[in-house]
Amino acid sequence: MKVRSATIAGAGIAGLTAALCLARTGYQVDIFERATEILPVGAGLQLSANALRVIQRLGCLEELQALASEADTVTLRSGSSGRIIATVPVRSQDGTPYLSVHRADLHRVLFSEVTANPQIRLHLGTGVTGVELRENHAALTLESDGRVSSHDTPLLVAADGIHSAIAESQGFASPIRSGFTASRMILPASAANHRLATVEAWVGSARHAVSYPIHSGTAINLVFISPDMPDADDSGHKTALLQQFSHWNSELAQLMQIADYVGQWPLSTAPVQRPYHINGVVAFVGDAAHAMLPFAAQGAAMAIEDAAVLAHCLHTYGKDALAQYEAQRRPRITKVLKRVRFHDVMYHMPKPLSYGRDLALRLTPKEKLRSTLGWLYDWQPPEF
Ligand SMILES: Cc1cc2nc3c(=O)[nH]c(=O)nc-3n(C[C@H](O)[C@H](O)[C@H](O)COP(=O)(O)OP(=O)(O)OC[C@H]3O[C@@H](n4cnc5c(N)ncnc54)[C@H](O)[C@@H]3O)c2cc1C
């Protein structure tokens, strides 16, 4: 049987998961990653069961669980009073957990699986700087340590993130600034008196915060979403942020004071009209295809789902594989983006509208809140 080969640009969550899924279906995979070493970038991630079923299929769930914390519920609180507005069950009936984890821990688990796989070759310090599409293959220009080389591939998986050089080389529309910035802080769980031991979303007018445990529960990740604060460097930004949230719940405000500031992420999204494939030769996965605001905690989860569906389509549909990949992913991503917009409205409601929201949520049974998320969390990966 002819061995099929694929090339992946980018070794983030999308690229590593795609490599493992494709290797499972028999592909020989080359990954080109422009960073020279794998650094613990990012901060916390929530991972729902839809994504974790893929991680489980890849044999990585147990190792990840040891580094993560399991949540039964996500608690919605008023940012100002701290009062509980709703408790949404997130655990799945099939027993697949809902985890909170540091991105670096998830990345490390995938990375060690990739480096142990004889079908995958990882080339660090090698950026994809040019792509020309020819009949039935892509001709890549690679740059490594100032040296330029070329590489031909019958299948290019673009997993090079929101500012995808591959999307840009094909004339795709640029990412769109959202007007929101995410600011991240971390503190030891002991300093938080082991409060915030589960996933909590603190909502307020035009801004919200999310807190959850990471590093096997030994640390707490705090994320603050607020309107952009132009021209602030990191120290000015932390001061401005403390100011903005100073009238919030005193417990949260105190924890902000003692937490280590990780950094700020101005949030952008991928234009929705971006294609997810070109000519049966290039497939876009993860943020390169559909970077989204993190309000539903699904960006990495969708990247992980993409990888499974891409492998399934390549395994099942022959020359129509990439068209099928887009046909299967687009309706789901569209639905997730709708949920993100819903959270944007719900989380950021000003008073007095928020009183109506709070009342409606308090009157909604927990099971109903969970069932409205069934389509998202109960998703099963296809065979690959
Ligand atoms: C504040 C915040 C909170 C979030 N919370 C959650 C959450 O709770 N749950 C969730 O599921 N998602 C969450 N997300 C989203 C999630 O982090 C992203 O969707 C996900 O990490 C995207 O992964 P990716 O591999 O597609 O892209 P990236 O992580 O950007 O990886 C791209 C990789 O490609 C490499 N690269 C780039 N250009 C080139 C090139 N030309 N050649 C070679 N390599 C290249 C980069 O160095 C990088 O390693 C959050 C995001 C933010 C900002």
Side-chain angles (χ1 to χ4, degrees):
M1 195 179 84
K2 191 167 176 275
V3 177
R4 297 187 296 173
S5 66
T7 299
I8 297 179
I13 305 303
L16 295 180
T17 315
L20 293 169
C21 290
L22 263 58
R24 232 178 106 89
T25 63
Y27 274 80
Q28 293 287 339
V29 182
D30 281 289
I31 311 178
F32 294 108
E33 165 56 53
R34 115 184 124 181
T36 48
E37 57 180 321
I38 298 300
L39 297 169
V41 286
L45 289 177
Q46 298 170 61
L47 287 175
S48 46
N50 46 314
L52 291 176
R53 289 187 189 98
V54 178
I55 300 294
Q56 185 168 36
R57 180 93 53 92
L58 296 173
C60 301
L61 183 58
E62 258 181 50
E63 202 185 333
L64 184 65
Q65 264 177 301
L67 303 166
S69 294
E70 286 189 29
D72 287 330
T73 57
V74 170
T75 305
L76 217 60
R77 289 179 182 272
S78 150
S80 50
S81 69
R83 208 148 50 104
I84 293 179
I85 301 168
T87 305
V88 185
V90 287
R91 185 177 280 279
S92 288
Q93 287 207 331
D94 68 359
T96 315
Y98 186 103
L99 300 180
S100 57
V101 63
H102 196 288
R103 179 193 178 276
D105 288 336
L106 169 64
H107 198 259
R108 200 172 312 120
V109 169
L110 295 170
F111 186 78
S112 69
E113 200 68 21
V114 158
T115 48
N117 190 316
Q119 286 167 248
I120 305 174
R121 284 185 303 193
L122 177 60
H123 311 263
L124 291 179
T126 310
V128 177
T129 55
V131 182
E132 265 186 51
L133 295 188
R134 311 249 169 85
E135 212 188 324
N136 297 331
H137 75 278
L140 309 187
T141 306
L142 305 175
E143 217 171 298
S144 173
D145 210 8
R147 283 191 308 277
V148 176
S149 59
S150 51
H151 174 87
D152 282 359
T153 180
L155 173 64
L156 172 63
V157 179
D160 52 345
I162 182 165
H163 300 290
S164 166
I166 297 168
E168 198 186 323
S169 77
Q170 301 307 309
F172 288 11
S174 302
I176 302 161
R177 287 280 302 119
S178 70
F180 285 106
T181 292
S183 313
R184 284 157 148 178
M185 299 185 193
I186 293 186
L187 75 161
S190 53
N193 252 343
H194 297 280
R195 281 272 303 112
L196 311 182
T198 185
V199 184
E200 313 214 329
W202 309 68
V203 298
S205 176
R207 43 183 63 74
H208 77 273
V210 186
S211 58
Y212 50 83
I214 52 173
H215 294 324
S216 319
T218 58
I220 305 293
N221 179 68
L222 297 171
V223 187
F224 298 89
I225 306 286
S226 54
D228 287 343
M229 288 176 267
D231 303 330
D233 62 12
D234 274 357
S235 69
H237 186 83
K238 182 174 181 186
T239 312
L241 195 69
L242 290 173
Q243 185 73 35
Q244 275 199 22
F245 285 85
S246 59
H247 62 287
W248 275 42
N249 171 257
S250 58
E251 192 175 9
L252 187 67
Q254 278 164 18
L255 293 176
M256 283 179 85
Q257 297 279 355
I258 55 170
D260 286 331
Y261 183 70
V262 180
Q264 48 173 311
W265 280 256
L267 299 175
S268 298
T269 58
V272 289
Q273 69 271 25
R274 271 192 185 182
Y276 297 174
H277 81 105
I278 310 174
N279 288 353
V281 174
V282 188
F284 292 83
V285 294
D287 279 8
H290 45 61
M292 58 185 68
L293 292 170
F295 304 165
Q298 286 295 318
M302 289 303 120
I304 292 167
E305 286 190 9
D306 287 347
V309 174
L310 179 63
H312 167 75
C313 291
L314 288 166
H315 186 62
T316 314
Y317 296 109
K319 66 177 179 33
D320 294 331
L322 299 195
Q324 272 295 330
Y325 163 71
E326 175 149 0
Q328 294 189 18
R329 290 311 286 155
R330 193 165 286 284
R332 180 149 172 93
I333 299 292
T334 303
K335 206 165 170 184
V336 171
L337 291 173
K338 202 168 154 200
R339 184 77 197 185
V340 170
R341 285 194 294 279
F342 174 69
H343 283 198
D344 186 358
V345 174
M346 290 291 277
Y347 284 7
H348 301 147
M349 229 172 234
K351 287 174 185 162
L353 288 175
S354 59
Y355 298 133
R357 170 200 66 197
D358 295 358
L359 183 65
L361 283 170
R362 280 202 194 97
L363 293 175
T364 309
K366 280 183 192 175
E367 300 67 38
K368 178 89 192 301
L369 293 174
R370 173 63 178 82
S371 68
T372 59
L373 288 162
W375 65 272
L376 182 56
Y377 297 160
D378 298 337
W379 180 87
Q380 298 286 337
E383 282 311 313
F384 63 91

